[in-house]
Amino acid sequence: MKKTLADTYLEEADELLNRGEVEKASEKYYKAAEEAIKALSGGNEEPTRAVFDLADKLGDWIITAWGAAVALVTVNLDVEQIKKYRDYIIKLVNERVDTKIIERSG
């Protein structure tokens, strides 16, 4: 499968977090989430607005995932909390991939 911008941001964030650059890692995790939201919504809406529309189709977990992404860039979190929120970002990026696969086969 072709690597997307969301995938690239996710990889960069992991590398930064491993080096202890938590602020930069948090920003990259947010960008990965933003790109995943854009891909899921078709990129026609502001990501925050798109999240609520997507929640109707995919479930409320997507609101929680977006909230985690926003917290990563607005709150000074410790490494353990960032790792917890990272799991939400991974799910969001993976959902983007899974949904695209479903759309192609449907």
Side-chain angles (χ1 to χ4, degrees):
M1 177 166 281
K2 184 180 174 188
K3 189 173 168 179
T4 67
L5 192 52
D7 297 317
T8 300
Y9 282 132
L10 194 56
E11 288 175 10
E12 290 174 358
D14 286 342
E15 291 172 12
L16 289 163
L17 191 60
N18 287 335
R19 291 195 310 248
E21 298 181 46
V22 295
E23 188 175 323
K24 289 180 181 177
S26 294
E27 291 170 5
K28 294 288 183 170
Y29 286 128
Y30 173 85
K31 295 299 278 180
E34 184 177 50
E35 290 301 321
I37 293 294
K38 287 178 184 177
L40 282 167
S41 67
N44 297 327
E45 296 181 81
E46 167 84 21
T48 301
R49 181 179 299 255
V51 164
F52 291 98
D53 292 338
L54 290 168
D56 290 337
K57 298 174 187 171
L58 302 173
D60 287 343
W61 71 268
I62 202 161
I63 296 169
T64 303
W66 182 246
V70 171
L72 285 167
V73 292
T74 58
V75 180
N76 188 13
L77 302 170
D78 63 40
V79 173
E80 290 308 308
Q81 191 63 49
I82 291 171
K83 287 179 181 177
K84 258 173 116 171
Y85 283 2
R86 174 188 177 272
D87 293 340
Y88 290 109
I89 307 308
I90 289 170
K91 182 176 181 181
L92 191 55
V93 171
N94 288 340
E95 182 68 28
R96 177 206 32 89
V97 171
D98 293 343
T99 301
K100 284 232 180 242
I101 291 168
I102 291 167
E103 287 173 0
R104 285 186 197 141
S105 65

